[in-house]
Amino acid sequence: MSEDPRATTLTTERLILRAQQERDAEVFHQLWTERDERVPPHRRIDAEGHPTVADIADSIRGGDSHARPGLLTVVLRESDAVIGYCGVVFDDDDRPELAFELLSAVHNRGYATEAGRAVIAWARDAGYPRLWASVWDWNLASRRALEKLGFAETGTIVKESAHGRSLLTVREPGD
């Protein structure tokens, strides 16, 4: 992108999307603990309890495999509570991909759609009018959020495993 997403702060009616901070690690760790059992093991807490809050804080501070530099922390404006992340990362084919994950306690309130709209507008302004997103076939809530954001399923299966099928969606310029 033309500018470092970590230097960006986006605001919406109810949310602030800002650079990740070490203190966000506790909420990001909670996201790891809440993940559906169908999520592949490398994206869940392992038998030794990793990643720990400290592991995640280290990744925010200095960067390791748990860090995703294009992801912004999603904060409720009213309470300053961290509820998850949303942003643009690049997939294995170097495509800009919208990614989001919010605490289960705030699901079904439109926050993912609201955060996604802000990130889409920012990405368009930064020179990325077309965005992709992959989503597990069983993750109906995320599929609905992506549909509301103008993403269409392409019919391409990115990955297929015992955990399900990961579907590729795309949002074309002007959608």
Side-chain angles (χ1 to χ4, degrees):
M1 295 194 153
S2 61
E3 59 183 287
D4 184 345
R6 294 168 291 190
T8 301
T9 299
L10 307 174
T11 57
T12 70
E13 182 179 333
R14 302 180 296 166
L15 305 172
I16 298 170
L17 287 76
R18 59 156 172 79
Q20 294 180 4
Q21 300 172 1
E22 286 180 56
R23 64 187 167 115
D24 302 335
E26 285 196 36
V27 171
F28 294 163
H29 183 265
Q30 185 176 343
L31 289 169
W32 279 79
T33 66
E34 291 183 355
R35 289 190 178 141
D36 190 285
E37 63 187 28
R38 294 171 286 189
V39 171
H42 75 278
R43 296 285 295 146
R44 290 184 282 150
I45 303 291
D46 68 21
E48 288 80 39
H50 293 280
T52 64
V53 172
D55 293 336
I56 296 168
D58 286 346
S59 73
I60 292 168
R61 189 173 38 254
D64 70 12
S65 64
H66 302 298
R68 304 290 298 268
L71 297 179
L72 300 169
T73 297
V74 179
V75 180
L76 294 176
R77 287 179 75 169
E78 185 176 278
S79 65
D80 203 34
V82 173
I83 61 170
Y85 63 79
C86 184
V88 175
V89 295
F90 288 84
D91 70 9
D92 293 339
D93 295 322
D94 209 31
R95 292 182 291 220
E97 183 171 347
L98 179 71
F100 56 87
E101 186 175 14
L102 301 179
L103 293 171
S104 61
V106 300
H107 286 185
N108 300 312
R109 297 182 190 176
Y111 294 136
T113 305
E114 188 172 332
R117 280 192 187 111
V119 169
I120 288 166
W122 175 82
R124 182 183 54 245
D125 291 347
Y128 295 97
R130 176 178 290 119
L131 292 175
W132 285 262
S134 57
V135 60
W136 290 105
D137 57 355
W138 47 261
N139 190 341
L140 300 180
S142 289
R143 288 172 73 182
R144 279 193 306 273
L146 289 167
E147 184 179 352
K148 289 177 189 175
L149 291 167
F151 284 79
E153 293 185 9
T154 64
T156 300
I157 297 171
V158 178
K159 189 182 307 178
E160 191 164 10
S161 71
H163 306 288
R165 294 179 304 153
S166 182
L167 310 173
L168 184 66
T169 67
V170 66
R171 185 180 192 287
E172 297 291 345
D175 285 350

